[in-house]
Amino acid sequence: MLKIGLALGATTLLLAACGQSETTTTTGETDGPIVAAPESPMNPAVNTDGTQTGALTPGASSFTSVQAREAIEKAGYTDVGELSQDAQGVWSAPAMRNGAQTTVSVDFKGEVTAR
């Protein structure tokens, strides 16, 4: 019983010591490293402005096949066939646009390009 009481008391003291914090006055200084963030992303992962450069960028794609299909259809393609993803992360599928069939690809940035 004495051992349990000592163990409980020691645990209580340790927890109390860990929970104490020093009071500090705010002087405008920040603890830890200060990191400056750029005004805009240096390399945006997703094409958000809607412009198409016509060049695919290889990279690990976080798009699912459903999301890739939606991007292709949003770009004006219809009758999108079976999607496949290559080793560089680019999704591709046959699709129709303006009555012509072509192969359409989507890179990890969301860029839709006919090949």
mmCIF file of all heavy atoms in Angstrom, residues 15-68:
data_model
loop_
_atom_site.group_PDB
_atom_site.id
_atom_site.type_symbol
_atom_site.label_atom_id
_atom_site.label_comp_id
_atom_site.label_asym_id
_atom_site.label_seq_id
_atom_site.Cartn_x
_atom_site.Cartn_y
_atom_site.Cartn_z
ATOM 1 N N LEU A 15 3.580 15.325 -12.904
ATOM 2 C CA LEU A 15 2.560 15.946 -13.747
ATOM 3 C C LEU A 15 2.397 17.420 -13.423
ATOM 4 O O LEU A 15 2.218 18.250 -14.315
ATOM 5 C CB LEU A 15 1.227 15.212 -13.621
ATOM 6 C CG LEU A 15 1.167 13.829 -14.265
ATOM 7 C CD1 LEU A 15 -0.159 13.151 -13.943
ATOM 8 C CD2 LEU A 15 1.349 13.935 -15.760
ATOM 9 N N ALA A 16 2.460 17.758 -12.155
ATOM 10 C CA ALA A 16 2.343 19.161 -11.759
ATOM 11 C C ALA A 16 3.528 19.965 -12.280
ATOM 12 O O ALA A 16 3.378 21.102 -12.740
ATOM 13 C CB ALA A 16 2.242 19.266 -10.249
ATOM 14 N N ALA A 17 4.726 19.383 -12.236
ATOM 15 C CA ALA A 17 5.922 20.072 -12.726
ATOM 16 C C ALA A 17 5.855 20.276 -14.233
ATOM 17 O O ALA A 17 6.286 21.305 -14.751
ATOM 18 C CB ALA A 17 7.171 19.292 -12.348
ATOM 19 N N CYS A 18 5.334 19.316 -14.951
ATOM 20 C CA CYS A 18 5.223 19.427 -16.404
ATOM 21 C C CYS A 18 4.173 20.445 -16.812
ATOM 22 O O CYS A 18 4.266 21.060 -17.866
ATOM 23 C CB CYS A 18 4.866 18.071 -17.025
ATOM 24 S SG CYS A 18 6.201 16.869 -16.918
ATOM 25 N N GLY A 19 3.170 20.616 -16.009
ATOM 26 C CA GLY A 19 2.065 21.508 -16.352
ATOM 27 C C GLY A 19 2.349 22.959 -16.052
ATOM 28 O O GLY A 19 1.637 23.845 -16.504
ATOM 29 N N GLN A 20 3.395 23.259 -15.295
ATOM 30 C CA GLN A 20 3.679 24.649 -14.959
ATOM 31 C C GLN A 20 4.264 25.354 -16.164
ATOM 32 O O GLN A 20 5.039 24.802 -16.932
ATOM 33 C CB GLN A 20 4.672 24.726 -13.800
ATOM 34 C CG GLN A 20 4.099 24.262 -12.499
ATOM 35 C CD GLN A 20 5.131 24.350 -11.373
ATOM 36 O OE1 GLN A 20 6.284 24.661 -11.596
ATOM 37 N NE2 GLN A 20 4.680 24.080 -10.171
ATOM 38 N N SER A 21 3.903 26.597 -16.325
ATOM 39 C CA SER A 21 4.487 27.400 -17.393
ATOM 40 C C SER A 21 4.927 28.725 -16.811
ATOM 41 O O SER A 21 4.326 29.242 -15.874
ATOM 42 C CB SER A 21 3.478 27.623 -18.523
ATOM 43 O OG SER A 21 2.374 28.343 -18.034
ATOM 44 N N GLU A 22 5.983 29.234 -17.382
ATOM 45 C CA GLU A 22 6.489 30.507 -16.914
ATOM 46 C C GLU A 22 5.672 31.614 -17.548
ATOM 47 O O GLU A 22 5.265 31.541 -18.690
ATOM 48 C CB GLU A 22 7.950 30.663 -17.314
ATOM 49 C CG GLU A 22 8.866 29.666 -16.654
ATOM 50 C CD GLU A 22 10.308 29.857 -17.098
ATOM 51 O OE1 GLU A 22 10.648 30.967 -17.550
ATOM 52 O OE2 GLU A 22 11.076 28.907 -16.989
ATOM 53 N N THR A 23 5.450 32.657 -16.806
ATOM 54 C CA THR A 23 4.763 33.809 -17.376
ATOM 55 C C THR A 23 5.807 34.697 -18.017
ATOM 56 O O THR A 23 6.867 34.952 -17.459
ATOM 57 C CB THR A 23 3.991 34.585 -16.294
ATOM 58 O OG1 THR A 23 4.908 34.980 -15.272
ATOM 59 C CG2 THR A 23 2.888 33.738 -15.697
ATOM 60 N N THR A 24 5.540 35.118 -19.212
ATOM 61 C CA THR A 24 6.466 35.982 -19.923
ATOM 62 C C THR A 24 5.729 37.234 -20.349
ATOM 63 O O THR A 24 4.511 37.227 -20.534
ATOM 64 C CB THR A 24 7.033 35.289 -21.178
ATOM 65 O OG1 THR A 24 5.937 34.914 -22.010
ATOM 66 C CG2 THR A 24 7.842 34.059 -20.814
ATOM 67 N N THR A 25 6.464 38.284 -20.500
ATOM 68 C CA THR A 25 5.862 39.521 -20.988
ATOM 69 C C THR A 25 6.017 39.549 -22.492
ATOM 70 O O THR A 25 7.018 39.092 -23.043
ATOM 71 C CB THR A 25 6.549 40.749 -20.365
ATOM 72 O OG1 THR A 25 7.940 40.698 -20.693
ATOM 73 C CG2 THR A 25 6.362 40.767 -18.865
ATOM 74 N N THR A 26 5.038 40.063 -23.166
ATOM 75 C CA THR A 26 5.075 40.124 -24.617
ATOM 76 C C THR A 26 5.876 41.340 -25.040
ATOM 77 O O THR A 26 5.536 42.468 -24.712
ATOM 78 C CB THR A 26 3.640 40.208 -25.187
ATOM 79 O OG1 THR A 26 2.893 39.118 -24.675
ATOM 80 C CG2 THR A 26 3.661 40.163 -26.688
ATOM 81 N N THR A 27 6.955 41.103 -25.760
ATOM 82 C CA THR A 27 7.805 42.200 -26.229
ATOM 83 C C THR A 27 7.823 42.270 -27.746
ATOM 84 O O THR A 27 8.656 42.951 -28.320
ATOM 85 C CB THR A 27 9.252 42.006 -25.714
ATOM 86 O OG1 THR A 27 9.753 40.773 -26.225
ATOM 87 C CG2 THR A 27 9.309 42.032 -24.208
ATOM 88 N N GLY A 28 6.955 41.512 -28.390
ATOM 89 C CA GLY A 28 6.935 41.507 -29.843
ATOM 90 C C GLY A 28 7.855 40.463 -30.440
ATOM 91 O O GLY A 28 7.960 40.332 -31.636
ATOM 92 N N GLU A 29 8.557 39.723 -29.611
ATOM 93 C CA GLU A 29 9.448 38.693 -30.099
ATOM 94 C C GLU A 29 8.686 37.382 -30.235
ATOM 95 O O GLU A 29 7.778 37.104 -29.476
ATOM 96 C CB GLU A 29 10.629 38.531 -29.164
ATOM 97 C CG GLU A 29 11.510 39.756 -29.105
ATOM 98 C CD GLU A 29 12.697 39.580 -28.179
ATOM 99 O OE1 GLU A 29 12.972 38.431 -27.781
ATOM 100 O OE2 GLU A 29 13.343 40.576 -27.863
ATOM 101 N N THR A 30 9.099 36.576 -31.191
ATOM 102 C CA THR A 30 8.447 35.304 -31.442
ATOM 103 C C THR A 30 9.405 34.180 -31.128
ATOM 104 O O THR A 30 10.564 34.232 -31.520
ATOM 105 C CB THR A 30 8.022 35.203 -32.918
ATOM 106 O OG1 THR A 30 7.177 36.302 -33.213
ATOM 107 C CG2 THR A 30 7.299 33.913 -33.196
ATOM 108 N N ASP A 31 8.918 33.178 -30.396
ATOM 109 C CA ASP A 31 9.736 32.002 -30.143
ATOM 110 C C ASP A 31 9.753 31.145 -31.394
ATOM 111 O O ASP A 31 8.739 30.980 -32.066
ATOM 112 C CB ASP A 31 9.170 31.175 -28.981
ATOM 113 C CG ASP A 31 9.345 31.883 -27.645
ATOM 114 O OD1 ASP A 31 10.239 32.749 -27.551
ATOM 115 O OD2 ASP A 31 8.596 31.578 -26.712
ATOM 116 N N GLY A 32 10.876 30.569 -31.696
ATOM 117 C CA GLY A 32 10.988 29.667 -32.839
ATOM 118 C C GLY A 32 11.369 30.409 -34.093
ATOM 119 O O GLY A 32 11.519 31.632 -34.112
ATOM 120 N N PRO A 33 11.524 29.671 -35.179
ATOM 121 C CA PRO A 33 11.942 30.299 -36.437
ATOM 122 C C PRO A 33 10.827 31.122 -37.054
ATOM 123 O O PRO A 33 9.650 30.797 -36.919
ATOM 124 C CB PRO A 33 12.288 29.105 -37.327
ATOM 125 C CG PRO A 33 11.474 27.995 -36.782
ATOM 126 C CD PRO A 33 11.371 28.248 -35.300
ATOM 127 N N ILE A 34 11.207 32.178 -37.698
ATOM 128 C CA ILE A 34 10.244 33.017 -38.406
ATOM 129 C C ILE A 34 10.379 32.678 -39.887
ATOM 130 O O ILE A 34 11.464 32.739 -40.452
ATOM 131 C CB ILE A 34 10.520 34.508 -38.165
ATOM 132 C CG1 ILE A 34 10.364 34.818 -36.678
ATOM 133 C CG2 ILE A 34 9.595 35.366 -39.007
ATOM 134 C CD1 ILE A 34 10.755 36.219 -36.315
ATOM 135 N N VAL A 35 9.273 32.319 -40.502
ATOM 136 C CA VAL A 35 9.283 31.914 -41.897
ATOM 137 C C VAL A 35 8.448 32.903 -42.687
ATOM 138 O O VAL A 35 7.293 33.147 -42.350
ATOM 139 C CB VAL A 35 8.716 30.478 -42.058
ATOM 140 C CG1 VAL A 35 8.712 30.078 -43.509
ATOM 141 C CG2 VAL A 35 9.507 29.511 -41.223
ATOM 142 N N ALA A 36 9.039 33.461 -43.709
ATOM 143 C CA ALA A 36 8.305 34.383 -44.570
ATOM 144 C C ALA A 36 7.664 33.599 -45.698
ATOM 145 O O ALA A 36 8.314 32.787 -46.345
ATOM 146 C CB ALA A 36 9.250 35.440 -45.132
ATOM 147 N N ALA A 37 6.391 33.822 -45.914
ATOM 148 C CA ALA A 37 5.672 33.151 -46.993
ATOM 149 C C ALA A 37 5.576 34.096 -48.186
ATOM 150 O O ALA A 37 5.385 35.288 -48.008
ATOM 151 C CB ALA A 37 4.274 32.758 -46.526
ATOM 152 N N PRO A 38 5.728 33.576 -49.403
ATOM 153 C CA PRO A 38 5.604 34.445 -50.577
ATOM 154 C C PRO A 38 4.163 34.911 -50.740
ATOM 155 O O PRO A 38 3.229 34.312 -50.201
ATOM 156 C CB PRO A 38 6.025 33.534 -51.729
ATOM 157 C CG PRO A 38 5.771 32.158 -51.239
ATOM 158 C CD PRO A 38 5.993 32.199 -49.752
ATOM 159 N N GLU A 39 3.999 35.984 -51.477
ATOM 160 C CA GLU A 39 2.667 36.532 -51.720
ATOM 161 C C GLU A 39 1.773 35.556 -52.476
ATOM 162 O O GLU A 39 0.588 35.484 -52.247
ATOM 163 C CB GLU A 39 2.780 37.841 -52.515
ATOM 164 C CG GLU A 39 3.424 38.959 -51.731
ATOM 165 C CD GLU A 39 2.574 39.416 -50.563
ATOM 166 O OE1 GLU A 39 1.345 39.501 -50.698
ATOM 167 O OE2 GLU A 39 3.151 39.683 -49.501
ATOM 168 N N SER A 40 2.358 34.792 -53.397
ATOM 169 C CA SER A 40 1.592 33.812 -54.158
ATOM 170 C C SER A 40 2.430 32.542 -54.263
ATOM 171 O O SER A 40 3.641 32.580 -54.092
ATOM 172 C CB SER A 40 1.269 34.350 -55.547
ATOM 173 O OG SER A 40 2.464 34.567 -56.264
ATOM 174 N N PRO A 41 1.800 31.410 -54.558
ATOM 175 C CA PRO A 41 2.559 30.160 -54.673
ATOM 176 C C PRO A 41 3.619 30.261 -55.761
ATOM 177 O O PRO A 41 3.396 30.846 -56.813
ATOM 178 C CB PRO A 41 1.503 29.125 -55.035
ATOM 179 C CG PRO A 41 0.196 29.738 -54.681
ATOM 180 C CD PRO A 41 0.380 31.216 -54.760
ATOM 181 N N MET A 42 4.774 29.674 -55.476
ATOM 182 C CA MET A 42 5.856 29.700 -56.444
ATOM 183 C C MET A 42 5.596 28.722 -57.591
ATOM 184 O O MET A 42 5.980 28.971 -58.711
ATOM 185 C CB MET A 42 7.184 29.343 -55.763
ATOM 186 C CG MET A 42 7.558 30.305 -54.645
ATOM 187 S SD MET A 42 7.726 32.009 -55.184
ATOM 188 C CE MET A 42 9.299 31.933 -55.960
ATOM 189 N N ASN A 43 4.957 27.607 -57.316
ATOM 190 C CA ASN A 43 4.674 26.601 -58.325
ATOM 191 C C ASN A 43 3.300 26.010 -58.023
ATOM 192 O O ASN A 43 3.202 24.990 -57.375
ATOM 193 C CB ASN A 43 5.739 25.509 -58.313
ATOM 194 C CG ASN A 43 5.522 24.505 -59.412
ATOM 195 O OD1 ASN A 43 4.748 24.747 -60.320
ATOM 196 N ND2 ASN A 43 6.186 23.373 -59.324
ATOM 197 N N PRO A 44 2.245 26.652 -58.478
ATOM 198 C CA PRO A 44 0.919 26.135 -58.155
ATOM 199 C C PRO A 44 0.712 24.742 -58.733
ATOM 200 O O PRO A 44 1.107 24.473 -59.858
ATOM 201 C CB PRO A 44 -0.038 27.143 -58.799
ATOM 202 C CG PRO A 44 0.772 27.807 -59.851
ATOM 203 C CD PRO A 44 2.206 27.787 -59.387
ATOM 204 N N ALA A 45 0.103 23.874 -57.940
ATOM 205 C CA ALA A 45 -0.096 22.494 -58.356
ATOM 206 C C ALA A 45 -1.294 22.344 -59.278
ATOM 207 O O ALA A 45 -1.346 21.433 -60.082
ATOM 208 C CB ALA A 45 -0.267 21.599 -57.140
ATOM 209 N N VAL A 46 -2.264 23.219 -59.171
ATOM 210 C CA VAL A 46 -3.479 23.078 -59.953
ATOM 211 C C VAL A 46 -3.680 24.317 -60.811
ATOM 212 O O VAL A 46 -3.486 25.446 -60.365
ATOM 213 C CB VAL A 46 -4.698 22.881 -59.020
ATOM 214 C CG1 VAL A 46 -5.985 22.793 -59.812
ATOM 215 C CG2 VAL A 46 -4.514 21.647 -58.175
ATOM 216 N N ASN A 47 -4.057 24.111 -62.047
ATOM 217 C CA ASN A 47 -4.330 25.201 -62.967
ATOM 218 C C ASN A 47 -5.662 25.825 -62.579
ATOM 219 O O ASN A 47 -6.718 25.270 -62.850
ATOM 220 C CB ASN A 47 -4.381 24.664 -64.401
ATOM 221 C CG ASN A 47 -4.663 25.751 -65.407
ATOM 222 O OD1 ASN A 47 -4.756 26.917 -65.080
ATOM 223 N ND2 ASN A 47 -4.814 25.350 -66.658
ATOM 224 N N THR A 48 -5.615 26.998 -61.937
ATOM 225 C CA THR A 48 -6.845 27.624 -61.462
ATOM 226 C C THR A 48 -7.321 28.767 -62.349
ATOM 227 O O THR A 48 -8.434 29.238 -62.185
ATOM 228 C CB THR A 48 -6.646 28.174 -60.032
ATOM 229 O OG1 THR A 48 -5.551 29.095 -60.039
ATOM 230 C CG2 THR A 48 -6.393 27.056 -59.046
ATOM 231 N N ASP A 49 -6.485 29.233 -63.269
ATOM 232 C CA ASP A 49 -6.896 30.376 -64.077
ATOM 233 C C ASP A 49 -7.609 29.986 -65.372
ATOM 234 O O ASP A 49 -8.109 30.846 -66.078
ATOM 235 C CB ASP A 49 -5.704 31.286 -64.380
ATOM 236 C CG ASP A 49 -4.627 30.617 -65.217
ATOM 237 O OD1 ASP A 49 -4.830 29.462 -65.652
ATOM 238 O OD2 ASP A 49 -3.575 31.245 -65.425
ATOM 239 N N GLY A 50 -7.654 28.697 -65.692
ATOM 240 C CA GLY A 50 -8.391 28.232 -66.854
ATOM 241 C C GLY A 50 -7.624 28.301 -68.159
ATOM 242 O O GLY A 50 -8.117 27.842 -69.187
ATOM 243 N N THR A 51 -6.442 28.887 -68.175
ATOM 244 C CA THR A 51 -5.667 28.937 -69.405
ATOM 245 C C THR A 51 -4.992 27.594 -69.646
ATOM 246 O O THR A 51 -4.651 26.887 -68.713
ATOM 247 C CB THR A 51 -4.584 30.035 -69.341
ATOM 248 O OG1 THR A 51 -3.698 29.743 -68.267
ATOM 249 C CG2 THR A 51 -5.200 31.399 -69.146
ATOM 250 N N GLN A 52 -4.807 27.255 -70.891
ATOM 251 C CA GLN A 52 -4.187 25.986 -71.261
ATOM 252 C C GLN A 52 -2.890 26.291 -71.992
ATOM 253 O O GLN A 52 -2.880 27.069 -72.953
ATOM 254 C CB GLN A 52 -5.118 25.162 -72.160
ATOM 255 C CG GLN A 52 -6.459 24.823 -71.531
ATOM 256 C CD GLN A 52 -6.334 23.863 -70.373
ATOM 257 O OE1 GLN A 52 -5.566 22.923 -70.425
ATOM 258 N NE2 GLN A 52 -7.077 24.103 -69.322
ATOM 259 N N THR A 53 -1.800 25.689 -71.558
ATOM 260 C CA THR A 53 -0.510 25.912 -72.215
ATOM 261 C C THR A 53 -0.252 24.892 -73.299
ATOM 262 O O THR A 53 0.602 25.105 -74.141
ATOM 263 C CB THR A 53 0.640 25.843 -71.188
ATOM 264 O OG1 THR A 53 0.696 24.518 -70.657
ATOM 265 C CG2 THR A 53 0.470 26.854 -70.090
ATOM 266 N N GLY A 54 -0.960 23.761 -73.281
ATOM 267 C CA GLY A 54 -0.767 22.721 -74.278
ATOM 268 C C GLY A 54 0.360 21.764 -73.940
ATOM 269 O O GLY A 54 0.622 20.839 -74.672
ATOM 270 N N ALA A 55 1.038 21.992 -72.835
ATOM 271 C CA ALA A 55 2.142 21.117 -72.438
ATOM 272 C C ALA A 55 1.764 20.370 -71.165
ATOM 273 O O ALA A 55 1.266 20.963 -70.218
ATOM 274 C CB ALA A 55 3.397 21.944 -72.195
ATOM 275 N N LEU A 56 1.995 19.071 -71.174
ATOM 276 C CA LEU A 56 1.711 18.265 -69.996
ATOM 277 C C LEU A 56 2.927 18.243 -69.079
ATOM 278 O O LEU A 56 4.059 18.197 -69.544
ATOM 279 C CB LEU A 56 1.354 16.835 -70.401
ATOM 280 C CG LEU A 56 0.068 16.694 -71.206
ATOM 281 C CD1 LEU A 56 -0.070 15.269 -71.727
ATOM 282 C CD2 LEU A 56 -1.122 17.054 -70.348
ATOM 283 N N THR A 57 2.668 18.272 -67.784
ATOM 284 C CA THR A 57 3.741 18.217 -66.800
ATOM 285 C C THR A 57 3.680 16.878 -66.101
ATOM 286 O O THR A 57 2.690 16.572 -65.440
ATOM 287 C CB THR A 57 3.587 19.348 -65.761
ATOM 288 O OG1 THR A 57 3.486 20.582 -66.456
ATOM 289 C CG2 THR A 57 4.757 19.373 -64.816
ATOM 290 N N PRO A 58 4.729 16.057 -66.242
ATOM 291 C CA PRO A 58 4.716 14.775 -65.539
ATOM 292 C C PRO A 58 4.848 14.992 -64.042
ATOM 293 O O PRO A 58 5.489 15.935 -63.591
ATOM 294 C CB PRO A 58 5.927 14.033 -66.091
ATOM 295 C CG PRO A 58 6.804 15.075 -66.670
ATOM 296 C CD PRO A 58 5.935 16.236 -67.026
ATOM 297 N N GLY A 59 4.205 14.133 -63.276
ATOM 298 C CA GLY A 59 4.273 14.218 -61.819
ATOM 299 C C GLY A 59 3.228 13.314 -61.214
ATOM 300 O O GLY A 59 2.274 12.909 -61.872
ATOM 301 N N ALA A 60 3.403 13.002 -59.952
ATOM 302 C CA ALA A 60 2.458 12.127 -59.261
ATOM 303 C C ALA A 60 1.101 12.809 -59.202
ATOM 304 O O ALA A 60 0.961 13.887 -58.649
ATOM 305 C CB ALA A 60 2.960 11.806 -57.863
ATOM 306 N N SER A 61 0.115 12.186 -59.806
ATOM 307 C CA SER A 61 -1.224 12.767 -59.860
ATOM 308 C C SER A 61 -2.032 12.389 -58.640
ATOM 309 O O SER A 61 -2.045 11.242 -58.215
ATOM 310 C CB SER A 61 -1.960 12.282 -61.116
ATOM 311 O OG SER A 61 -3.248 12.839 -61.163
ATOM 312 N N SER A 62 -2.694 13.382 -58.076
ATOM 313 C CA SER A 62 -3.577 13.108 -56.953
ATOM 314 C C SER A 62 -5.028 13.017 -57.425
ATOM 315 O O SER A 62 -5.928 12.826 -56.625
ATOM 316 C CB SER A 62 -3.441 14.208 -55.899
ATOM 317 O OG SER A 62 -3.784 15.464 -56.455
ATOM 318 N N PHE A 63 -5.246 13.161 -58.745
ATOM 319 C CA PHE A 63 -6.590 13.048 -59.293
ATOM 320 C C PHE A 63 -7.018 11.587 -59.349
ATOM 321 O O PHE A 63 -6.222 10.709 -59.660
ATOM 322 C CB PHE A 63 -6.652 13.605 -60.726
ATOM 323 C CG PHE A 63 -6.511 15.092 -60.824
ATOM 324 C CD1 PHE A 63 -5.416 15.651 -61.436
ATOM 325 C CD2 PHE A 63 -7.478 15.917 -60.311
ATOM 326 C CE1 PHE A 63 -5.282 17.016 -61.539
ATOM 327 C CE2 PHE A 63 -7.367 17.292 -60.407
ATOM 328 C CZ PHE A 63 -6.265 17.843 -61.023
ATOM 329 N N THR A 64 -8.280 11.346 -59.079
ATOM 330 C CA THR A 64 -8.851 10.027 -59.316
ATOM 331 C C THR A 64 -9.289 9.979 -60.772
ATOM 332 O O THR A 64 -9.335 11.006 -61.460
ATOM 333 C CB THR A 64 -10.063 9.771 -58.399
ATOM 334 O OG1 THR A 64 -11.101 10.710 -58.741
ATOM 335 C CG2 THR A 64 -9.689 9.907 -56.930
ATOM 336 N N SER A 65 -9.648 8.797 -61.246
ATOM 337 C CA SER A 65 -10.117 8.693 -62.630
ATOM 338 C C SER A 65 -11.405 9.488 -62.824
ATOM 339 O O SER A 65 -11.624 10.074 -63.889
ATOM 340 C CB SER A 65 -10.310 7.231 -63.018
ATOM 341 O OG SER A 65 -11.285 6.626 -62.206
ATOM 342 N N VAL A 66 -12.241 9.541 -61.806
ATOM 343 C CA VAL A 66 -13.494 10.309 -61.890
ATOM 344 C C VAL A 66 -13.181 11.799 -62.044
ATOM 345 O O VAL A 66 -13.777 12.496 -62.862
ATOM 346 C CB VAL A 66 -14.377 10.046 -60.649
ATOM 347 C CG1 VAL A 66 -15.574 10.972 -60.625
ATOM 348 C CG2 VAL A 66 -14.816 8.590 -60.617
ATOM 349 N N GLN A 67 -12.220 12.300 -61.263
ATOM 350 C CA GLN A 67 -11.848 13.713 -61.349
ATOM 351 C C GLN A 67 -11.194 14.037 -62.689
ATOM 352 O O GLN A 67 -11.436 15.097 -63.260
ATOM 353 C CB GLN A 67 -10.912 14.082 -60.200
ATOM 354 C CG GLN A 67 -11.598 14.052 -58.850
ATOM 355 C CD GLN A 67 -10.611 14.153 -57.696
ATOM 356 O OE1 GLN A 67 -9.509 13.606 -57.763
ATOM 357 N NE2 GLN A 67 -11.015 14.854 -56.645
ATOM 358 N N ALA A 68 -10.376 13.116 -63.210
ATOM 359 C CA ALA A 68 -9.757 13.325 -64.518
ATOM 360 C C ALA A 68 -10.832 13.374 -65.601
ATOM 361 O O ALA A 68 -10.786 14.224 -66.504
ATOM 362 C CB ALA A 68 -8.744 12.222 -64.812
#
